[in-house]
Amino acid sequence: MTGNEPTTTLEAKLAAIIEPRLQAMGFELVRVAVLGRDRPTIQIMADRQDGSQISIDDCQQISQDVSAALDVEDPIPGVWTLEVSSAGIDRPLTRVKDWNRFAGHLARVETFVPQDGRKRFSGVVLGADETAARLRLDDGAEVVIRHPDIRRAKLVLTDALIEATATPPLAH
């Protein structure tokens, strides 16, 4: 969520409840998704504000806190399931800061509407600003895709990405 989305979607309503709680605990919300209808699953993807790896204990802490908040706010009637995870290495690109942090790495992007006759793009991330993200395609051409037009964007797992996101060894 970039803060520019309309607050009418269920994901936006959930983000408004979840985001301040995560920030108070030292985390950042990367993405909220709701999957399924009869017994929906709320998926929360989070990062640590300090950039360090998120742990299983962190996910449990987030799950307990957010679950309690959602029980009180009750944005989804009936029974639902909550899943909390780290954004991972081959993470989705949902925020401007992610596009800029992972500039130089390979990503795949799918758009809601065709752009230059296509909806799927693969290329090197060149960064983003508040309105659009940029990719350099395999043929060398650059494409600019407005954030609202992006259905999903995700980093591609490569050796370079693994190396760039590896936790440095502890000094003894």
Side-chain angles (χ1 to χ4, degrees):
M1 312 290 317
T2 62
N4 297 330
E5 294 81 3
T7 55
T8 55
T9 68
L10 180 56
E11 281 89 357
K13 288 177 185 173
L14 289 167
I17 296 167
I18 296 166
E19 203 159 19
R21 302 190 82 76
L22 291 184
Q23 287 176 349
M25 292 188 289
F27 301 102
E28 295 178 331
L29 180 62
V30 174
R31 184 181 75 188
V32 174
V34 179
L35 307 172
R37 289 180 181 242
D38 294 336
R39 185 184 177 127
T41 298
I42 302 168
Q43 290 183 333
I44 298 172
M45 200 172 282
D47 268 342
R48 287 186 145 278
Q49 289 175 357
D50 66 8
S52 64
Q53 295 289 335
I54 196 166
S55 70
I56 292 172
D57 289 342
D58 293 335
C59 289
Q60 288 175 328
Q61 177 189 1
I62 292 167
S63 180
Q64 290 170 351
D65 189 88
V66 168
S67 183
L70 295 177
D71 282 343
V72 170
E73 297 284 336
D74 200 24
I76 297 180
V79 180
W80 45 267
T81 303
L82 179 63
E83 290 180 2
V84 178
S85 68
S86 153
I89 295 173
D90 54 343
R91 66 189 306 120
L93 298 169
T94 58
R95 305 170 295 181
V96 171
K97 72 186 239 175
D98 296 329
W99 283 92
N100 292 324
R101 175 180 172 198
F102 294 102
H105 291 283
L106 190 61
R108 288 196 175 97
V109 178
E110 183 181 334
T111 59
F112 287 107
V113 294
Q115 187 165 326
D116 297 328
R118 59 195 277 194
K119 290 173 107 175
R120 290 186 174 87
F121 300 87
S122 179
V124 175
V125 174
L126 297 177
D129 60 25
E130 291 301 320
T131 58
R134 296 182 351 266
L135 282 177
R136 183 182 317 106
L137 306 178
D138 294 337
D139 65 5
E142 287 187 20
V143 63
V144 177
I145 305 170
R146 291 178 348 104
H147 294 298
D149 295 340
I150 298 173
R151 177 185 209 113
R152 72 184 64 128
K154 186 176 179 177
L155 289 172
V156 175
L157 189 60
T158 63
D159 289 341
L161 181 61
I162 292 169
E163 188 175 319
T165 56
T167 304
L170 296 173
H172 294 297

